[in-house]
Amino acid sequence: MSSIDLFFQQILNGLTLGSVYGLVALGLTLVYGILHVPNFSHGALYMVGAFVAFFLIVDLGINYWVAMIGAAAVVAILGVLSERLVFTPLRHAPPIHDKIAAIGVLLFLEAVIMAIWGAEFRRMPAPYTEMLSIGNVAAPAQRWLIIAGALLLMAALHLFLKKTIAGSTISALAQNREGASLVGIDASRVAMLTFAISGALAAVAAVLFAPINLVYPAMGHLVIMKAFVIIILGGMGSVPGAILGGMIIGFAESFGAFYISTDYKDIIAFVLLVVILSFRPNGLFTQGER
Amino acid sequence: MLQLENLSVRYGSFRALNDVSLHADEGELVVLLGANGAGKSSIFLTVSGLNKPAGGAIRLKGKEIGGMKPSKIVRSGVVHCPEGRKLFPKMSVMKNLTLGAYVYSRDQVGVRRSLEEVFELFPILRDKRYEAAGSLSGGQQQMVAIGRALMGRPKILLLDEPSLGLAPLVVKQVLDVVKKINENGTTVLLAEQNAFAALKIAHRAYVIEGGRIVMEGESDTLLHDENVRKAYIGA
Ligand SMILES: Nc1ncnc2c1ncn2[C@@H]1O[C@H](COP(=O)(O)OP(=O)(O)O)[C@@H](O)[C@H]1O
Ligand SMILES: [Mg+2]
């Protein structure tokens, strides 16, 4: 392969990783925006999404796309349940309590998955195994699928938040909770909606990524750490920040792995975090408010 | 229209309101006068459902609304334009206004009609409709806040210190609009520290101190009352 082809391959890798990270970070940032809870259990929701789809595809022989919808629905419900049963009761507790509870939910979900499926690594069959070239760049169809799927979902989410009334209620609650209540927006319904969307996004990200990765109970750990890096970079609660931050980390990893060393791939996100925060302590996309 | 009977409100063990009774009749403009910390906002927040009453009754046209969820209270026609405005700063003026009609979002024709009415009342907002609410001047933001409340089709409008932090000329403009809103048929309960200006436009007034109503009467009477003049008008 010529070096220009290799360069395009890295772009493609960066886009793939950035797409997955961006979807996970979006869910995290939405929840942070309205509840100001760093939802540490979000990585476990991502992992549960992969297992649910794995079960549907491998054990029940269900079509990949249907399994993706099924996983999104199950994880959306889990997200809503965690909001109702754990985060709502802690709404007026000292802030450290939500964080501890979020870790509790994470450990609980991992333990349940371990109890059912054990700790082994599993492989989810890819729905399309052929190579697909666009221009000069050839890649497994699944990679194109991840990029297209994620971009489509991000665009849909953007339209939902900006153009629909239900979407506006999420932004309204994030921007001014009291103001939102005073116009008649029901804060607890919005919180449930946000957790459902956040969970569904994590599940879809996991189901898109799983066929070129592995499925195992700890699969959410690195992803969620990176998603936190992304929303800190992008500004906690910022939607464009999560998407751009995801792409920045995706590209940095893919180019770092190729031009520096694969061994350092997972450290790059954290190095970038330290470097960027030294220059912009409030993240890249905040204008010094809040 | 709105009637509070022996309303009490607590923050933890602190009693912010003690047996507050007041009423605003249909078509009235009633002003609540009181220094900072007297309890004006506590009254409003409790009527609109953001705080829960510790005792007493809140009735709208005879129907008890005390302790209901804010979303239900808005639907019943009590709309609260809060102190400090509580706008959605990153959304456009237009979006802020349309969200004001959130409980009527099924009725888009009605929403557009209310929007026209708000633009008629505040022509400057029409020019600024695509700008972020947070980027406007204080006076304009107050107009958005009042406009957003009007979009909720109030039978009674609770206006909490709309003149706070505004330049004297702008204060006059805002209070003129309040008067106009009242003349167009909306009952208004207004909290103000600007006693003189508020009494000029109001029909009746209550004076609140330390969480209790200490005086009430016609605006004219209070305007000429020795104690009120000393304490709130400084003349
Ligand atoms: N959330 C709160 N927690 C505790 N005390 C409060 C709270 N809000 C108001 N207070 C207290 O209640 C009293 C009345 O306040 P408020 O209703 O805001 O008065 P006003 O609007 O007339 O300035 C004040 O002493 C204030 O310090
Ligand atoms: Mg006040």
Side-chain angles (χ1 to χ4, degrees):
Chain A
M1 249 195 250
S2 73
S3 72
I4 191 80
D5 288 339
L6 282 172
F7 178 79
F8 278 120
Q9 284 293 332
Q10 298 325 307
I11 292 204
L12 187 70
N13 272 340
L15 273 173
T16 314
L17 290 171
S19 298
V20 173
Y21 295 162
L23 286 181
V24 177
L26 271 174
L28 204 58
T29 216
L30 284 178
V31 165
Y32 186 85
I34 62 153
L35 290 190
H36 294 256
V37 177
N39 187 6
F40 297 114
S41 67
H42 195 63
L45 293 177
Y46 168 88
M47 176 274 299
V48 172
F51 270 93
V52 170
F54 180 87
F55 170 74
L56 294 176
I57 294 168
V58 177
D59 295 325
L60 302 186
I62 286 175
N63 167 281
Y64 175 82
W65 295 105
V66 178
M68 181 186 284
I69 293 168
V74 169
V75 176
I77 291 169
L78 279 178
V80 172
L81 281 178
S82 72
E83 194 276 331
R84 285 289 92 183
L85 301 177
V86 180
F87 295 112
T88 297
L90 292 175
R91 176 100 204 110
H92 298 290
I96 188 75
H97 293 204
D98 314 310
K99 300 185 181 89
I100 296 171
I103 293 172
V105 174
L106 158 80
L107 296 175
F108 171 76
L109 290 174
E110 279 193 19
V112 169
I113 294 293
M114 287 267 239
I116 303 174
W117 281 288
E120 304 98 90
F121 290 72
R122 292 155 199 272
R123 188 166 275 291
M124 182 187 290
Y128 310 99
T129 46
E130 54 275 50
M131 293 292 278
L132 197 75
S133 348
I134 293 180
N136 280 352
V137 192
Q142 187 68 28
R143 283 190 177 268
W144 296 113
L145 202 68
I146 292 174
I147 298 168
L151 293 183
L152 210 71
L153 212 56
M154 287 170 183
L157 182 72
H158 175 80
L159 287 179
F160 173 73
L161 291 175
K162 291 276 175 211
K163 300 286 174 209
T164 71
I165 288 162
S168 310
T169 62
I170 296 182
S171 319
L173 202 68
Q175 291 181 29
N176 197 311
R177 196 178 184 88
E178 267 187 26
S181 297
L182 289 178
V183 300
I185 293 170
D186 185 337
S188 59
R189 274 179 46 191
V190 177
M192 286 193 274
L193 174 68
T194 309
F195 268 81
I197 292 173
S198 159
L201 289 174
V204 171
V207 179
L208 282 171
F209 201 33
I212 59 169
N213 221 292
L214 291 167
V215 177
Y216 56 101
M219 66 186 276
H221 293 178
L222 263 181
V223 175
I224 191 65
M225 297 275 272
K226 287 172 189 168
F228 269 109
V229 171
I230 288 162
I231 71 169
I232 292 168
L233 286 182
M236 309 284 269
S238 160
V239 167
I243 296 173
L244 273 166
M247 289 300 165
I248 290 174
I249 299 295
F251 277 97
E253 274 191 14
S254 119
F255 280 91
F258 185 70
Y259 291 105
I260 304 170
S261 154
T262 332
D263 298 339
Y264 297 130
K265 172 168 89 58
D266 290 325
I267 300 175
I268 288 167
F270 302 101
V271 172
L272 214 59
L273 176 71
V274 173
V275 172
I276 291 180
L277 288 189
S278 334
F279 295 103
R280 305 243 0 184
N282 292 321
L284 285 177
F285 304 103
T286 39
Q287 296 118 33
E289 49 185 317
R290 173 136 89 212
Chain B
M1 172 71 88
L2 183 76
Q3 191 173 24
L4 313 191
E5 224 177 83
N6 300 322
L7 181 69
S8 298
V9 169
R10 275 182 213 173
Y11 298 109
S13 61
F14 173 68
R15 286 176 77 98
L17 295 181
N18 278 300
D19 292 330
V20 168
S21 297
L22 57 82
H23 65 96
D25 295 333
E26 182 139 18
E28 266 192 319
L29 200 172
V30 177
V31 64
L32 282 178
L33 299 176
N36 246 333
K40 304 179 296 297
S41 298
S42 298
I43 293 178
F44 284 2
L45 289 168
T46 313
V47 172
S48 59
L50 254 48
N51 286 347
K52 299 285 166 250
I58 305 171
R59 279 192 285 269
L60 178 71
K61 295 191 166 170
K63 207 174 131 260
E64 174 71 46
I65 58 166
M68 286 189 345
K69 281 207 288 192
S71 51
K72 277 192 93 172
I73 293 177
V74 173
R75 251 173 255 269
S76 74
V78 179
V79 185
H80 176 183
C81 177
E83 184 180 325
R85 306 171 198 134
K86 315 281 180 196
L87 297 178
F88 310 121
K90 294 180 197 162
M91 293 184 192
S92 68
V93 168
M94 187 86 140
K95 198 73 190 261
N96 271 273
L97 294 176
T98 38
L99 275 173
Y102 172 72
V103 299
Y104 299 108
S105 34
R106 293 255 170 79
D107 169 23
Q108 280 303 316
V109 178
V111 172
R112 268 195 295 278
R113 189 173 346 107
S114 315
L115 200 58
E116 270 315 305
E117 286 167 16
V118 170
F119 285 152
E120 234 151 78
L121 211 50
F122 301 111
I124 183 78
L125 295 188
R126 194 196 295 275
D127 304 332
K128 304 259 174 188
R129 65 189 181 279
Y130 300 120
E131 292 180 30
S135 71
L136 304 188
S137 73
Q140 291 163 355
Q141 289 195 26
Q142 189 59 52
M143 294 175 194
V144 178
I146 296 174
R148 184 179 71 177
L150 291 177
M151 296 292 292
R153 304 181 192 173
K155 294 193 178 83
I156 175 161
L157 177 64
L158 311 176
L159 259 176
D160 197 352
E161 301 206 33
S163 66
L164 198 69
L166 302 183
L169 202 68
V170 187
V171 171
K172 186 177 179 314
Q173 281 175 7
V174 167
L175 291 181
D176 283 348
V177 169
V178 173
K179 184 161 185 247
K180 199 155 147 197
I181 292 169
N182 175 249
E183 284 167 356
N184 289 347
T186 309
T187 310
V188 176
L189 188 58
L190 169 71
E192 262 302 330
Q193 296 195 39
N194 251 310
F196 186 69
L199 286 171
K200 283 280 205 191
I201 60 167
H203 299 116
R204 285 192 305 116
Y206 293 88
V207 178
I208 176 164
E209 269 170 27
R212 293 175 190 280
I213 303 281
V214 294
M215 196 188 293
E216 66 169 290
E218 302 284 321
S219 298
D220 282 342
T221 322
L222 267 75
L223 211 43
H224 297 107
D225 185 278
E226 199 55 32
N227 295 326
V228 172
R229 290 187 79 91
K230 269 209 195 97
Y232 298 101
I233 300 176

